[in-house]
Amino acid sequence: QGFFAVSRLLAGKKALVTAGGTQEPLDPVRYLGNRSSGKMGFAVAEALREAGAQTILISAPTELSTPYGVRRIPIMTAQEMYDAVMSEFTDVDIVVKAAAVADYRPKASAEQKIKKDGTSRTLELVPNPDILAELGEKKEQQFLVGFAAETEKLYEHAQAKMQRKNVDMLVANDVTQPGAGFGSPTNIVSFLFPEGTRIDLPQMKKLEVARRLVQEIAERLREKE
Ligand code: CTP
Ligand code: CA
């Protein structure tokens, strides 16, 4: 009993998590990035592993150490994340896309450090693939969880994303709230489901949010089976 009685809701399942903010190179010393710390995704990987799932974590560069028992695949760019996700996707049961993926990348990355010349410049950007949207089209047995970080019209935008990307669950958070989002040890999220259910959680530590997320996933996977 005790420690070993901790419920292993997802024993025998395989899970894939993406985390962190991708970095899109401009030249050998500079990149376009975002404020994602990776904490939420790492917490999700930890909670999935805790629940007994064999867990792969595809992560952009972060300061965080890999949760115990999790296999980490390091990537930098959205394109590298795309390649890694696509090569692991087919035989997993659960995918949680917590990463903040750059929507655009610089059209070209200079081979040498870009030198200043005192004039103004424009930067040409080209779109990156939408990994989650493509998974939504390809999915078979996989339970797909997306994230939506918004600064306005939270539920409206999140609802639209859930449909557009064909996910089974969406975690919505308003990153302008204190105690939520980028870099914070806590988060304030809502879980949205395609059939219209919405669960609003109070401010919680990211690991607690992750454990609740894992519970929901396990319940819904059981119903599907
Ligand atoms: N996502 C992805 N690939 C991308 C962009 C986003 O897989 N190129 C995933 C994120 O990991 C997240 C979800 O899609 O799970 C929503 O990301 P978000 O940036 O909120 O939505 P976008 O569809 O990119 O829309 P926008 O940034 O315009 O709000
Ligand atoms: Ca985006």
Side-chain angles (χ1 to χ4, degrees):
Q1 296 300 319
F3 179 79
F4 293 101
V6 167
S7 72
R8 290 175 55 87
L9 289 170
L10 294 175
K13 301 288 184 201
K14 279 184 139 187
L16 176 63
V17 180
T18 69
T22 65
Q23 299 183 354
E24 310 296 325
L26 267 167
D27 71 14
V29 299
R30 304 185 179 96
Y31 63 85
L32 288 185
N34 62 69
R35 296 187 192 283
S36 170
S37 65
K39 283 179 189 160
M40 194 61 238
F42 275 58
V44 171
E46 181 172 348
L48 284 163
R49 211 276 322 159
E50 216 173 53
Q54 191 184 320
T55 305
I56 301 167
L57 175 59
I58 297 174
S59 177
T62 75
E63 306 271 279
L64 306 170
S65 49
T66 311
Y68 171 80
V70 169
R71 177 159 75 91
R72 179 171 180 173
I73 302 176
I75 56 85
M76 296 247 285
T77 65
Q79 187 61 51
E80 288 167 8
M81 179 172 282
Y82 175 91
D83 294 339
V85 168
M86 293 308 161
S87 78
E88 301 292 339
F89 179 62
T90 30
D91 66 337
V92 302
D93 305 290
I94 299 159
V95 180
V96 182
K97 285 242 51 194
V101 185
D103 295 326
Y104 295 91
R105 66 173 180 276
K107 185 172 184 190
S109 171
E111 270 187 40
Q112 305 300 333
K113 186 182 172 198
I114 298 167
K115 289 295 183 186
K116 69 182 174 196
D117 61 9
T119 66
S120 50
R121 301 190 176 225
T122 54
L123 178 60
E124 190 174 355
L125 301 175
V126 295
N128 276 325
D130 189 324
I131 304 168
L132 187 55
E134 195 167 321
L135 297 183
E137 284 169 21
K138 288 200 166 124
K139 76 170 176 188
E140 291 172 1
Q141 80 286 358
Q142 297 91 345
F143 189 91
L144 264 192
V145 183
F147 273 68
E150 305 291 350
T151 57
E152 57 167 0
K153 298 183 193 158
L154 177 63
Y155 302 120
E156 194 183 314
H157 286 163
Q159 189 74 33
K161 264 173 207 174
M162 180 162 57
Q163 281 163 7
R164 184 153 48 82
K165 303 198 188 211
N166 192 30
V167 297
D168 301 291
M169 175 173 182
L170 194 105
V171 181
N173 75 316
D174 177 347
V175 291
T176 64
Q177 284 191 82
F182 299 135
S184 171
T186 62
N187 211 349
I188 307 168
V189 306
S190 297
F191 296 155
L192 278 67
F193 298 93
E195 81 281 1
T197 312
R198 190 178 105 202
I199 302 172
D200 297 325
L201 300 181
Q203 181 173 355
M204 290 159 82
K205 292 200 174 116
K206 284 183 173 170
L207 185 57
E208 297 307 323
V209 173
R211 287 177 173 145
R212 279 284 281 130
L213 173 63
V214 166
Q215 253 177 27
E216 284 306 320
I217 295 171
E219 259 171 49
R220 279 159 203 266
L221 273 183
R222 232 187 356 255
E223 281 166 19
K224 250 168 77 170
E225 276 162 6

